[in-house]
Amino acid sequence: RKSFLANVLDKAFQTAGLSVAKSMAVLDIGCGTGDAAPFLRDYSRPDGSLTGIDVSETALAAAQNTNAYDRLEESDLLAFCATCEDRYDLVVCLDALYWFADPAPVFAAVERILKPDGVFIFTVTPQTREPEFSTDVYGRFSHNPDYVSARLSASGLYKTDDRDYPCVLFTARKKPQ
């Protein structure tokens, strides 16, 4: 029986037309303890790479124990993307955008590091009460999916999946050059 995470990633990868063992350069933004690493690793093998970034040193120590990442870096995602010289085929950001009221800077940063026709898979916590976003008691943001779609389009990425999931899963792609 697959976990919720595995099911969500499977659906996103199917929507994007990705298959395992593609030897892609994969970036796991907000990798945390590495929960997604076993699934993402299959897309970077045999000759690609899997990089994880997170702001938590403690989470990265746990991620190291998965032995799935080729590289782990303690960094804020905007700072990492601003200085990153690598280009990625696949960028995944699961449950990390709730720290941003406006996801536009994240989308612009990801667009910069994606290869042409690269895929960006991310989740947001849904809400519909406000036109854009709201916060919970912990200061985390939930977003109106229409607001996120508009900000995504404005960044130069385009949404490739219109299905709804409990976590509001977005699959986007960078336009080919």
Side-chain angles (χ1 to χ4, degrees):
R1 182 178 154 135
K2 284 188 172 180
S3 70
F4 173 74
L5 176 62
N7 284 325
V8 167
L9 287 173
D10 275 348
K11 288 176 184 176
F13 294 152
Q14 288 171 11
T15 297
L18 302 177
S19 60
V20 295
K22 292 277 284 193
S23 295
M24 293 188 292
V26 180
L27 176 63
D28 185 4
I29 293 176
C31 67
T33 59
D35 292 343
F39 311 105
L40 299 177
R41 183 178 178 88
D42 291 340
Y43 291 85
S44 67
R45 298 298 175 246
D47 300 316
S49 64
L50 175 57
T51 301
I53 63 167
D54 202 284
V55 294
S56 170
E57 182 180 344
T58 303
L60 288 171
Q64 183 69 42
N65 290 332
T66 68
N67 294 317
Y69 293 97
D70 298 300
R71 180 173 144 214
L72 287 166
E73 188 165 325
E74 184 179 349
S75 180
D76 168 87
L77 74 92
L78 295 177
F80 178 87
C81 292
T83 60
C84 182
E85 295 302 320
D86 296 328
R87 295 295 177 259
Y88 294 92
D89 300 292
L90 174 63
V91 175
V92 176
C93 183
L94 305 175
D95 295 332
L97 289 182
Y98 56 63
W99 298 114
F100 296 87
D102 182 359
V106 174
F107 298 156
V110 168
E111 193 276 337
R112 187 180 99 57
I113 64 169
L114 270 176
K115 291 179 181 176
D117 207 34
V119 175
F120 178 36
I121 295 169
F122 64 98
T123 59
V124 296
T125 304
Q127 67 84 24
T128 57
R129 295 182 311 270
E130 303 294 326
E132 297 172 353
F133 57 84
S134 61
T135 58
D136 66 13
V137 295
Y138 302 104
R140 295 177 300 204
F141 294 92
S142 56
H143 298 86
N144 182 303
D146 294 332
Y147 168 70
V148 173
S149 292
R151 301 303 277 172
L152 185 64
S153 294
S155 74
L157 300 171
Y158 64 96
K159 185 177 175 188
T160 59
D161 186 8
D162 287 324
R163 294 177 290 173
D164 289 325
Y165 302 96
C167 58
V168 187
L169 171 71
F170 283 84
T171 304
R173 201 176 272 282
K174 183 173 179 174
K175 293 179 181 172
Q177 297 268 1

